[in-house]
Amino acid sequence: PCCGSVRVQNQLIGSVVAILRNGASVGGGPATWTDQTFPLDTGVTLNPKDDITATQTSGGQTSGATPVPIVVQSKPTAPLGAVTFASPVVDCSNALLISGAVPGAQITLTDSLSHTRGTGIATQDGSVGVGVSPQLGHGEILNASQTACGLSQLAPTPSPPPIAPPPVLPMPVVEAPLFACDQAVTVDGIIPGAQVTLNRTGGSSETGAFVVSSEYFNVSPLKPGETVTAIQTFPNCEGKPATSLPVKVGRAQRPAPPVVIGPLCPGGQSVRLTKLTVGAPVKIFQNGALVGQAGAAKTTDDFYISETLLPNAKITAIQSNQCKPQKWSGTSNTVRVD
C-alpha cells in the first residue's frame, strides 16, 4: 500500500503505459524500455486488495488490461522483518543486493559511525541493488534496514564479513553476436560488487555496479562496425582490473526466429517464448491471426495474449530488430494447443 510506483514489463518501446487501479488510471507514462518502473500520480495511495493492471497504447491502438491483476498486499505490521544480504559481500564492493523487504520499502545502508552509505527502494519482489558510497572498506561491516508505511525494522541486519576479491580479476565476457540497432549489451563473468564499464567506439561508455554475475546495459542503438568491450574493477583495491575480448558490431539483419515453448493448454492466457533479443518487438499468432504484440524484457519471457488459447490451435511467433524500418525474423516453430 505504500508503493509510489509500479514496475511493468513487455511494453513496446515508444508506447504509452497506463497503470490501472480497479480499472481506473492512476499513473504511467511513455515507455522507453521493455522493463520499466512507472510512477503513480501525485496523491494516489494504493489500498489493500486493489487490483493493479496496465495497458499500453501504440499507433492509435490500446491493448486490453493485464488479464491477471497484481493484488495489493495488506499493510505490513510492526516491526518489519529483517532484510538479508543476497549477494556475496566482497572487499571494496560498489553495490550490494538486499532482499526480503516489503515492496516499496526504503532500504538504508549505514556504517559503524551511523553514516548513510547507500539507499534504495525495494521493487515488487522485495529486492534492490544498493550502491555503496564510498565503496566498502577492507573488512568493513555495514548494516541494512528497511522502513515502510511509517514502520521500521526492529534491528538492522549486519553484513557478513567481506571476502577479498581475487588478486587478478576474471576476464568479463561481452555476449556476442551484436548487431546494429541493438539496445541491450549483456556482460557475463562479473564478481558481484564490481564496477563494470562498457566501452564503445561508436557511442558513449556506460558504468554501473553489478550485484549479480550477469546483467545487461540498456544502451543507445549500436552502430555497425563499432567495437564493444567491458572492464570490471574494484577501484582503490588490490584486484587487477580485467578487460573483455572486443566484440565487433555487425550490420543490421533479420534476427533469428524465436522459439515457442510448449506445452500449451486450452484457455491459457499467455505464451512463453525463448531465443529472444532483449528489447525486441514480438508478435504472437494463433492460427495465423495476431493475438499479441509486446516487447521482450528477457531472453526467455512470458507474454499475455489478447485471446485465450483455443483447442488444437497452432501458435507461432516472430521478433524484429530495433531498426527503422524494422526487419522481422522468420516464423518460429509451431506448437499446437494440446
Side-chain angles (χ1 to χ4, degrees):
C2 306
C3 289
S5 60
V6 176
R7 183 180 178 186
V8 183
Q9 294 181 329
N10 300 138
Q11 57 274 12
L12 291 164
I13 298 171
S15 67
V16 176
V17 170
I19 306 298
L20 309 179
R21 179 182 62 184
N22 303 325
S25 178
V26 291
T32 58
W33 193 238
T34 55
D35 183 344
Q36 188 173 341
T37 298
F38 295 91
L40 297 177
D41 292 340
T42 302
V44 170
T45 300
L46 302 182
N47 305 303
K49 299 185 179 179
D50 279 347
D51 284 343
I52 306 300
T53 57
T55 62
Q56 61 173 333
T57 300
S58 180
Q61 293 184 319
T62 299
S63 72
T66 314
V68 180
I70 297 296
V71 180
V72 178
Q73 301 177 37
S74 299
K75 285 190 175 183
T77 56
L80 300 182
V83 296
T84 60
F85 287 82
S87 60
V89 179
V90 180
D91 276 335
C92 308
S93 284
N94 299 273
L96 296 169
L97 179 62
I98 305 299
S99 66
V102 172
Q106 174 158 310
I107 307 300
T108 302
L109 298 179
T110 55
D111 58 25
S112 59
L113 300 177
S114 298
H115 294 151
T116 298
R117 299 284 290 279
T119 61
I121 301 297
T123 60
Q124 271 70 32
D125 68 359
S127 67
V128 62
V130 179
V132 181
S133 180
Q135 68 186 48
L136 192 69
H138 288 279
E140 185 179 23
I141 303 296
L142 294 183
N143 294 306
S145 59
Q146 64 167 325
T147 57
C149 301
L151 304 175
S152 301
Q153 186 174 318
L154 187 62
T157 303
S159 63
I163 58 177
V168 178
L169 301 182
M171 180 186 296
V173 176
V174 175
E175 284 194 5
L178 296 174
F179 299 106
C181 305
D182 286 353
Q183 294 186 52
V185 177
T186 298
V187 181
D188 302 325
I190 301 300
I191 297 175
Q195 178 176 289
V196 182
T197 299
L198 190 77
N199 290 317
R200 299 173 52 185
T201 58
S204 59
S205 62
E206 305 280 346
T207 298
F210 280 29
V211 293
V212 290
S213 61
S214 177
E215 186 57 273
Y216 70 81
F217 285 92
N218 179 200
V219 299
S220 59
L222 296 176
K223 299 176 182 178
E226 73 167 299
T227 300
V228 179
T229 56
I231 301 173
Q232 74 165 320
T233 181
F234 286 86
N236 307 314
C237 213
E238 290 84 358
K240 185 178 180 181
T243 303
S244 71
L245 296 175
V247 176
K248 189 173 182 179
V249 177
R251 292 181 298 175
Q253 60 181 266
R254 296 171 62 186
V259 174
V260 181
I261 298 177
L264 298 172
C265 300
Q269 296 177 292
S270 65
V271 174
R272 177 171 292 182
L273 306 178
T274 191
K275 304 295 184 182
L276 297 169
T277 299
V278 176
V282 173
K283 291 183 178 181
I284 299 172
F285 302 88
Q286 179 165 236
N287 293 331
L290 182 65
V291 291
Q293 297 187 68
K298 301 182 286 289
T299 55
T300 298
D301 214 344
D302 295 298
F303 299 93
Y304 286 123
I305 54 177
S306 60
E307 301 176 8
T308 57
L309 296 173
L310 302 174
N312 298 313
K314 296 179 180 179
I315 306 301
T316 57
I318 58 176
Q319 66 176 326
S320 170
N321 66 8
Q322 294 159 274
C323 293
K324 294 181 180 180
Q326 294 172 318
K327 293 185 178 182
W328 289 90
S329 71
T331 303
S332 70
N333 61 316
T334 299
V335 173
R336 186 182 293 273
V337 179
D338 198 346

